Amino acid sequence: MIHSLLPFLAILGLTGPDRHYYDAPVSMSDSVVCIPLHTSAPGRLKAEARMTMRGSGRSGSWSMSLIPVAGTDTLSVSLYNLTIGYGDDIVDRVCTGMTVTCGGHILMTGEAEGFSPEKDAYNTISIELASDGRTLTLSGGARTLGRVGEITLPQAIDVGEVSVSAVGRGVLSMFCVESETDPQVALSTDLDLGEVRRIISDSSAADPAVGFWNYFDRNNDPVYARPGGRYRLAVIPSGEVAGAFDILYIGGAEILADRWNGAGPRLKGRLIPAEFAGHYDLEWIDSEFRPISRDIHATVDASGALLTLSFPSLHTVMRFAKEQIVD
């Protein structure tokens, strides 16, 4: 049976960056445009917009904002013309100013180098929010993107949409938002170890794969792959796919152990029964949260004591011994 991994990855949101473009160019006049986010477990976020202000004199400005799902701590990055001098038009210097605010509090303000204050000049703002929701990297400029700086926000922001607003008249030539799912969140379950144990106790007769499995041994060529640890796994009936079984990570990670541990059982893969008893198509998330989608399978031996996960293209086989549950 050939089974596509894509539905599994789509459920998790691990099919790659979710990228959306606003239909540009668009003329704006004291107006706002928005791109809502559709990522169920937002991680890294990058937003970029390019705009020119026209006919607004020195008073025109535009902003890009990260609007939270809840609360009022909107983060805004604004560009505007800034006059530096003493009120004498001959001496005054006009440049581009940038102000960053969060929840109405100013985090950064001043002259922004690399931006153009000239009439009809296009400037770009690029905002990247790390998966922690607090680390903000700003870039931008008129001709090339230069790094403006990095800001640590007072608290994490859970972004629900990104907007671009104009004060005065302008033309938005490009507006794009790219978000990636945080795999640690996407792979989390609502189960604790006690609930997993109860499910296994109630379902163990459903299939020999159901149960707790402890790392037993491996046959591995390190040139092609390295095991992520000596895993302890649990296999339970899937709550998403009828007839399938979810593989849960319980412990034993050695690679990125700090990201796998400490949040209860995480989804590690899925078994889909094949036409032959004890044989399964395998879906797997590796130690670095990357999906493996081709030519992998699993078997449970006739005694029901050994679970074998096979990755032929990676020259790797891992075996797990079933743990006896003692009531």
Side-chain angles (χ1 to χ4, degrees):
M1 177 175 65
I2 298 176
H3 181 84
S4 172
L5 186 67
L6 288 177
F8 176 62
L9 300 182
I11 290 171
L12 300 180
L14 297 179
T15 49
D18 187 17
R19 187 179 294 110
H20 293 274
Y21 290 89
Y22 196 84
D23 189 12
V26 59
S27 295
M28 299 180 65
S29 179
D30 296 320
S31 55
V32 181
V33 298
C34 297
I35 295 179
L37 299 187
H38 302 285
T39 306
S40 58
R44 186 188 68 87
L45 170 71
K46 185 174 183 179
E48 190 170 300
R50 186 165 177 81
M51 190 169 182
T52 182
M53 299 302 298
R54 291 181 172 173
S56 299
R58 295 186 180 182
S59 62
S61 66
W62 67 280
S63 304
M64 183 156 60
S65 300
L66 306 185
I67 302 171
V69 173
T72 59
D73 289 336
T74 295
L75 179 110
S76 295
V77 180
S78 302
L79 282 184
Y80 48 89
N81 282 346
L82 179 67
T83 301
I84 298 177
Y86 301 96
D88 187 337
D89 288 339
I90 299 175
V91 179
D92 289 352
R93 181 170 65 89
V94 178
C95 60
T96 301
M98 175 182 286
T99 297
V100 181
T101 62
C102 186
H105 300 286
I106 296 176
L107 303 180
M108 184 181 81
T109 188
E111 181 181 352
E113 296 183 359
F115 295 83
S116 175
E118 298 298 324
K119 180 182 177 181
D120 293 341
Y122 279 91
N123 288 302
T124 299
I125 297 175
S126 176
I127 302 174
E128 185 166 344
L129 184 66
S131 58
D132 63 6
R134 293 190 62 196
T135 305
L136 187 77
T137 302
L138 299 176
S139 303
R143 296 185 178 181
T144 60
L145 284 182
R147 183 183 175 91
V148 175
E150 183 174 291
I151 298 173
T152 300
L153 303 181
Q155 61 185 23
I157 179 173
D158 184 9
V159 181
E161 64 180 358
V162 182
S163 71
V164 171
S165 59
V167 176
R169 293 190 295 114
V171 176
L172 179 67
S173 65
M174 186 274 291
F175 180 23
C176 173
V177 177
E178 177 181 295
S179 61
E180 291 183 2
T181 295
D182 181 349
Q184 290 177 266
V185 177
L187 297 173
S188 295
T189 70
D190 295 327
L191 302 172
D192 60 31
L193 195 56
E195 290 173 301
V196 173
R197 188 178 297 276
R198 179 187 57 77
I199 293 171
I200 288 175
S201 179
D202 294 343
S203 312
S204 58
D207 192 279
V210 173
F212 286 104
W213 298 90
N214 293 316
Y215 174 84
F216 182 65
D217 64 10
R218 71 173 187 260
N219 185 357
N220 163 251
D221 185 340
V223 172
Y224 291 88
R226 56 175 180 163
R230 297 172 178 265
Y231 294 132
R232 184 188 184 208
L233 306 173
V235 177
I236 62 173
S238 174
E240 299 286 348
V241 180
F245 301 91
D246 289 340
I247 304 172
L248 304 180
Y249 167 82
I250 305 299
E254 296 171 358
I255 296 175
L256 298 183
D258 59 327
R259 298 186 65 189
W260 280 101
N261 294 331
R266 295 186 188 274
L267 194 60
K268 183 67 171 163
R270 184 165 290 155
L271 299 175
I272 298 92
E275 286 123 352
F276 305 103
H279 288 71
Y280 309 83
D281 291 321
L282 173 63
E283 298 170 342
W284 186 252
I285 304 297
D286 75 5
S287 60
E288 297 181 349
F289 298 95
R290 293 181 303 232
I292 301 177
S293 60
R294 291 189 177 185
D295 301 325
I296 58 177
H297 58 273
T299 58
V300 174
D301 71 348
S303 70
L306 280 177
L307 169 67
T308 302
L309 306 183
S310 299
F311 305 83
S313 62
L314 299 176
H315 298 251
T316 297
V317 173
M318 293 189 292
R319 296 199 301 173
F320 297 82
K322 180 171 275 189
E323 178 180 311
Q324 297 301 314
I325 298 179
V326 179
D327 296 328

